[in-house]
Amino acid sequence: MAETTETGGTTADEPAGTAPLDDSEMPLADHIEEMVKRLGIVIVAMGVVSGIVFPFADELINFIWYAFLPGSPTACPVAADQASAACPYVYDPLALVLARLKAASLAGFVVALPLFVYQTYRFMRPGLYHKERRYYLAAVPTSLVFAMIGVAFAFFLVLPVMFNYFLGYSKPVAEIAFGLGDTFGLMTLLMGFFALVFQIPLFVMLAIMMGITTRAWLTSRRLYFWGGFAGVAFLFSPDPTGMAPIIVAATMIGLFEGTLLLLRWTGRG
């Protein structure tokens, strides 16, 4: 049997005393150099994809913007006395350029997520057993699928609910006008954030299947994870109304608990 870890899992599905065939000692400087190199590959790939998407950024901005706000690009600009909440307003010279960069960066980020998983696999490969390598490689396409599901979840569910709320709560007292910079930044940030949030089931299952931890250990410490999820949500969700952080935190907790429930139902971990 493999050695039992502190978390209740096992170090690997291999006989005790064995080690991965490719495992070898490396100086710390070499580890750091390789890690920086692989992170650089991810950043360069993200930049390349963003550069390819950038020429189409205006179309992407209009598509995302008017998916949640009433109207169409042809209805804007309008005269001051015909102002509409649907029209994006530019309040500083760089707002449009930054919005284009955000739109392109969102596409690059989604594509970079599975590449990041693959590069971490390449970094850790010498210390992994054969079965662990299979698990890790299977996680690469799964990461892209989960990222797309996260973006779709934000696009079709979270953002429509939020903007209906934004449009509704101000009507009794004020005429609302959305600035392009802050508003589009919130849209892209939440879609990117949910692409990352939906990696939670993948990382939980990967950690359990590789013997890093167990379902029982995670279940016994669920309140710590809940608190961590809430802290991250309120720290990185730039919405002063508090609605976005609550939705993000609830989604993270739901994904975590749903994964544990699925593992219990299937008898894994």
Side-chain angles (χ1 to χ4, degrees):
M1 294 292 293
E3 180 185 355
T4 301
T5 64
E6 181 184 354
T7 60
T10 57
T11 54
D13 254 347
E14 301 288 342
T18 64
L21 295 177
D22 298 338
D23 195 17
S24 61
E25 293 292 333
M26 287 180 63
L28 178 60
D30 290 346
H31 278 294
I32 295 175
E33 181 181 355
E34 184 181 359
M35 179 177 65
V36 171
K37 173 186 172 184
R38 299 199 176 281
L39 286 176
I41 292 173
V42 176
I43 293 173
V44 169
M46 180 177 173
V48 170
V49 174
S50 299
I52 294 172
V53 174
F54 187 81
F56 311 99
D58 287 352
E59 290 80 0
L60 188 57
I61 290 171
N62 284 330
F63 174 74
I64 294 174
W65 186 274
Y66 293 104
F68 314 119
L69 294 171
S72 66
T74 57
C76 300
V78 295
D81 59 349
Q82 297 175 318
S84 168
C87 298
Y89 292 87
V90 176
Y91 296 114
D92 63 81
L94 295 178
L96 181 56
V97 175
L98 293 176
R100 289 168 176 163
L101 288 173
K102 291 171 184 175
S105 297
L106 176 63
F109 177 73
V110 172
V111 174
L113 275 175
L115 181 59
F116 174 76
V117 175
Y118 178 72
Q119 291 301 326
T120 58
Y121 160 74
R122 294 293 300 175
F123 179 73
M124 298 173 60
R125 185 179 185 276
L128 298 176
Y129 293 98
H130 181 67
K131 181 176 288 188
E132 293 171 336
R133 293 177 183 179
R134 294 205 312 269
Y135 292 152
Y136 227 121
L137 282 174
V140 175
T142 307
S143 175
L144 179 60
V145 172
F146 281 9
M148 297 301 294
I149 293 174
V151 171
F153 181 82
F155 187 86
F156 291 107
L157 182 62
V158 177
L159 286 170
V161 170
M162 285 185 56
F163 278 93
N164 283 335
Y165 169 71
F166 292 156
L167 289 169
Y169 85 90
S170 65
K171 281 183 178 179
V173 294
E175 184 69 30
I176 192 169
F178 290 109
L180 176 65
D182 292 340
T183 305
F184 191 73
L186 176 64
M187 292 174 177
T188 53
L189 182 62
L190 281 179
M191 284 190 284
F193 200 64
F194 273 97
L196 185 61
V197 163
F198 269 71
Q199 306 298 307
I200 290 175
L202 176 64
F203 290 134
V204 170
M205 289 187 290
L206 190 60
I208 290 176
M209 293 172 72
M210 291 179 64
I212 297 174
T213 187
T214 64
R215 182 185 58 81
W217 187 87
L218 293 173
T219 301
S220 66
R221 290 159 176 81
R222 55 161 44 103
L223 292 181
Y224 296 108
F225 285 96
W226 290 13
F229 294 151
V232 170
F234 278 88
L235 184 62
F236 291 103
S237 297
D239 172 19
T241 68
M243 188 174 184
I246 291 173
I247 294 175
V248 171
T251 303
M252 296 175 79
I253 293 172
L255 289 170
F256 179 76
E257 290 297 327
T259 305
L260 295 182
L261 184 63
L262 177 63
L263 290 168
R264 179 180 180 182
W265 182 65
T266 58
R268 301 298 298 268

